[in-house]
Amino acid sequence: QVQLVESGGGLVQAGGSLRLSCAASGRTFSTYPMGWFRQAPGKEREFVVSTRWSGGATYYAIYDSDSVKGRFTISRDNAKNTVTLQMNRLKPEDTAVYYCAARQRDGGSRLTSEGDYDYWGQGTQVTVSS
């Protein structure tokens, strides 16, 4: 069993930055692929970014589009056992509840769909004003 808890959300003006954290507990997840999703009011949950790690460092990351790739960065803090999402140059369309997810299952996956993951956090609200 893995428990994920997101934090770091809040209200920020367009162009500002936020850093989200995902703290994991229960079982080791150092080798688990991780992902971030978001869900805006009245919309479906959508993929933001995912990554796999190798040798304690980020192996690769998959982003939803260039709109995120150029502004968001996913990373891992081994000392604090957390995964972070650094969000820069935020836009109003980034407003959503952001969820952290982990995949425990073996085997490859594109890691871009909700069904690719086994564990989810409760979400943290990000609001970007104009």
Side-chain angles (χ1 to χ4, degrees):
Q1 184 178 1
V2 174
Q3 297 183 35
L4 305 175
V5 180
E6 303 95 334
S7 63
L11 175 64
V12 64
Q13 292 185 349
S17 299
L18 284 174
R19 182 169 180 161
L20 307 183
S21 295
C22 175
S25 63
R27 298 173 64 179
T28 181
F29 74 114
S30 61
T31 62
Y32 289 1
M34 304 290 294
W36 286 93
F37 288 73
R38 65 187 181 185
Q39 186 169 18
K43 297 184 178 180
E44 297 293 323
R45 189 174 301 182
E46 65 177 356
F47 168 74
V48 178
V49 63
S50 67
T51 188
R52 281 189 165 94
W53 290 268
S54 179
T58 301
Y59 179 61
Y60 69 87
I62 301 174
Y63 295 87
D64 65 339
S65 68
D66 289 340
S67 65
V68 171
K69 183 178 181 179
R71 300 182 295 120
F72 293 6
T73 302
I74 186 171
S75 62
R76 177 182 175 87
D77 186 333
N78 290 325
K80 297 182 178 180
N81 198 34
T82 60
V83 175
T84 63
L85 180 66
Q86 179 65 47
M87 306 185 295
N88 299 320
R89 293 180 290 146
L90 285 163
K91 304 175 181 180
E93 52 263 43
D94 295 320
T95 296
V97 176
Y98 283 71
Y99 297 89
C100 177
R103 177 182 173 89
Q104 182 180 14
R105 286 164 282 166
D106 293 333
S109 171
R110 285 183 53 81
L111 303 174
T112 58
S113 300
E114 292 183 65
D116 294 330
Y117 296 87
D118 302 301
Y119 302 101
W120 294 84
Q122 85 290 348
T124 184
Q125 177 70 50
V126 172
T127 303
V128 184
S129 62
S130 301

